[in-house]
């Protein structure tokens, strides 16, 4: 019987479409002695984007242009708490930009002029460049300079000149959802975003914020950085998140959190109902103590 299982031949099987072909001219130093034909790993599906949650902090970011698109980019940067935005734009500026200059003066440095190549050779240089200008020649020139300086750039609405794309964003407190169609249909991205946003329970931001507080409290009582402690913390938090509904998490009080955390040492994860039972019992005990104290005085 013919054995057509590629794992049983000496010649390596052709990689599926989209998978890397080994390059015989390069030396692969990543040699592993495990079974490299294991098919249980998820398939690689190239053609996507690297979806990240960028933290600009105080790294300088260059924004070129003062119109509609620049106004939207500026809002995205400020919502991401960027504190060192260098805005290059001659007047007139979009009214929203004028407003942000007024409300966030310490985060934006505005140069009211056209772009100059020296805008890329500042010390320190920009960590990121966003252009939103109506002159394709200027866009191309800034892109060429950015590439030469190895600085990631987005040229609004010119996909071949973008190292990264913007997406349609839904923000609700700590929750951020970005829909990208990888350049295929920005308008569709916005309507998909709207549908997702409409389908979310309303109290998700509160649920996330409470989980954030609970995680901080847990880190305070179990602060060790040992592998064992980290695994225990992660398993505990995962179990809480999996066993409490969004609604219950959204309503979680600091008192509830303390009851939950009391179960951490022995790894007990109390359900919402169990936490409420413990609190009722504790309240009854307090009432009893108060009555005892009252009768003995
Ligand atoms: C590749 C990308 C690069 C980038 O700019 O980052 C890009 C490129 C282009 N956009 C074009 C057109 C439009 N863009 C919008 C709107 C948005 N565009 C955004 C992102 C992106 N646009 C990136 C890919 C996003 C993805 O992968 O999904 C959004 C999601 C985010 C944002 O920009 O903040 C924002 C909605 C945000 C919101 O509503 O919240 C609308 C609709 C509208 O304005 O209402 C239209 C008209 C309708 C249409 O064409 O669909 C054109 C053609 C221009 C021409 O025809 O000349 C190009 C160039 C091309 O496709 O070649
Ligand atoms: N606004 C939108 O929804 C869309 C925008 N686009 C494209 O996005 C780009 C920007 O769009 P808008 O903001 O609407 O344009 P806009 O015309 O409102 O603003 C362009 C801005 O670029 C500035 N500018 C021009 N040359 C400059 C230079 N050398 N240095 C610094 N600033 C310079 C102008 O002063 C102006 O503030 C354009 O290429 C436009 O075609 C495309 C499709 C939709």
């Amino acid at each position: 019987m013919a054995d057509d299982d590629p794992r049983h031949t000496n010649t390596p099987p052709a990689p599926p479409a989209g998978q890397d072909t080994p390059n015989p001219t390069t030396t692969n130093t990543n040699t592993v002695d495990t079974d490299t034909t294991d098919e249980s790993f998820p398939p690689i599906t190239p053609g996507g984007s690297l979806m990240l949650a960028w933290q600009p902090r105080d790294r300088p970011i260059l924004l070129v242009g003062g119109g509609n698109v620049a106004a939207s980019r500026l809002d995205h940067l400020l919502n991401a708490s960027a504190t060192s935005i260098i805005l290059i734009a001659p007047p007139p500026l979009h009214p929203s930009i004028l407003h942000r200059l007024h409300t966030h003066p310490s985060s934006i440095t505005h140069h009211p002029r056209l772009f100059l190549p020296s805008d890329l050779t500042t010390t320190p240089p920009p960590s990121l460049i966003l252009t939103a200008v109506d002159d394709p020649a200027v866009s191309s020139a800034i892109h060429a300079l950015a590439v030469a300086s190895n600085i990631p750039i987005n040229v609004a609405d010119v996909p071949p000149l973008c190292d990264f794309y913007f997406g349609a964003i839904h923000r609700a407190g700590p929750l951020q959802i970005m829909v990208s169609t990888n350049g295929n249909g920005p308008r569709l991205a916005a309507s998909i975003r709207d549908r997702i946003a409409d389908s979310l329970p309303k109290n998700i931001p509160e649920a996330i914020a409470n989980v954030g507080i609970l995680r901080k409290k847990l880190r305070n009582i179990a602060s060790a950085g040992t592998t064992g402690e980290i695994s225990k913390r992660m398993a505990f938090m995962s179990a809480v998140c999996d066993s409490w509904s969004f609604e219950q998490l959204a309503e979680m009080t600091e008192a509830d959190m303390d009851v939950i955390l009391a179960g951490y040492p022995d790894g007990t994860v109390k359900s919402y109902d169990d936490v409420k039972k413990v609190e009722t019992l504790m309240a009854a005990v307090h009432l009893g103590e108060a009555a005892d104290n009252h009768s003995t005085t």
Side-chain angles (χ1 to χ4, degrees):
M1 200 171 81
D3 181 359
D4 53 7
D5 185 338
R7 288 171 297 183
H8 298 169
T9 65
N10 288 329
T11 41
Q19 220 163 288
D20 278 356
T21 315
N23 181 349
T25 61
T26 57
T27 311
N28 184 0
T29 53
N30 300 328
T31 47
V32 283
D33 51 13
T34 49
D35 179 6
T36 54
T37 58
D38 188 331
E39 288 169 0
S40 63
F41 299 116
I44 299 294
T45 315
S49 309
L50 188 61
M51 304 280 279
L52 305 167
W54 190 270
Q55 307 291 312
R57 304 190 201 277
D58 61 353
R59 303 270 201 94
I61 296 184
L62 188 67
L63 174 58
V64 189
N68 265 318
V69 176
S72 155
R73 300 301 194 235
L74 182 60
D75 283 5
H76 284 312
L77 291 173
L78 292 171
N79 282 327
S81 303
T83 57
S84 182
I85 302 161
I86 320 297
L87 173 67
I88 312 290
L93 296 180
H94 189 282
S96 158
I97 297 182
L98 288 172
H99 180 67
R100 304 303 180 207
L101 283 170
H102 184 68
T103 57
H104 292 73
S106 62
S107 299
I108 314 165
T109 305
H110 175 219
H111 298 287
R113 57 163 170 79
L114 295 177
F115 170 83
L116 295 171
S118 57
D119 291 326
L120 264 69
T121 55
T122 48
T123 310
S127 59
L128 205 63
I129 302 174
L130 313 177
T131 80
V133 300
D134 50 1
D135 182 338
V138 172
S139 291
S140 300
I142 302 175
H143 175 260
L145 290 167
V147 170
S149 302
N150 208 18
I151 305 172
I153 183 167
N154 173 280
V155 177
D157 290 351
V158 189
L161 303 187
C162 287
D163 291 321
F164 55 93
Y165 299 153
F166 276 79
I169 291 167
H170 171 72
R171 170 92 186 274
L175 176 69
Q176 305 173 98
I177 297 174
M178 184 180 111
V179 175
S180 170
T181 62
N182 222 26
N184 288 281
R187 181 76 179 181
L188 280 184
S191 52
I192 294 166
R193 179 264 327 270
D194 292 345
R195 277 211 209 183
I196 293 172
D198 287 348
S199 71
L200 294 171
K202 291 287 164 278
N203 49 10
I204 278 212
E206 291 79 11
I208 298 174
N210 280 340
V211 166
I213 297 170
L214 182 66
R215 292 180 82 232
K216 278 206 190 87
K217 280 176 168 271
L218 175 58
R219 293 290 283 266
N220 284 340
I221 62 165
S223 56
T226 57
T227 316
E229 189 76 69
I230 293 170
S231 304
K232 189 176 170 189
R233 277 202 303 261
M234 288 170 64
F236 187 81
M237 275 312 308
S238 298
V240 174
C241 290
D242 292 348
S243 57
W244 284 52
S245 68
F246 287 133
E247 288 71 21
Q248 292 168 344
L249 289 170
E251 285 167 19
M252 186 164 53
T253 62
E254 295 244 356
D256 295 343
M257 294 182 196
D258 293 338
V259 175
I260 294 173
L261 292 173
Y264 177 73
D266 66 1
T268 310
V269 175
K270 290 190 188 65
S271 67
Y272 176 85
D273 290 341
D274 286 347
V275 165
K276 293 297 165 194
K277 274 183 207 151
V278 171
E279 285 170 5
T280 310
L281 275 174
M282 282 163 58
V285 170
H286 279 304
L287 269 177
E289 280 171 358
D292 281 352
N293 288 342
H294 190 69
S295 61
T296 53
T297 49

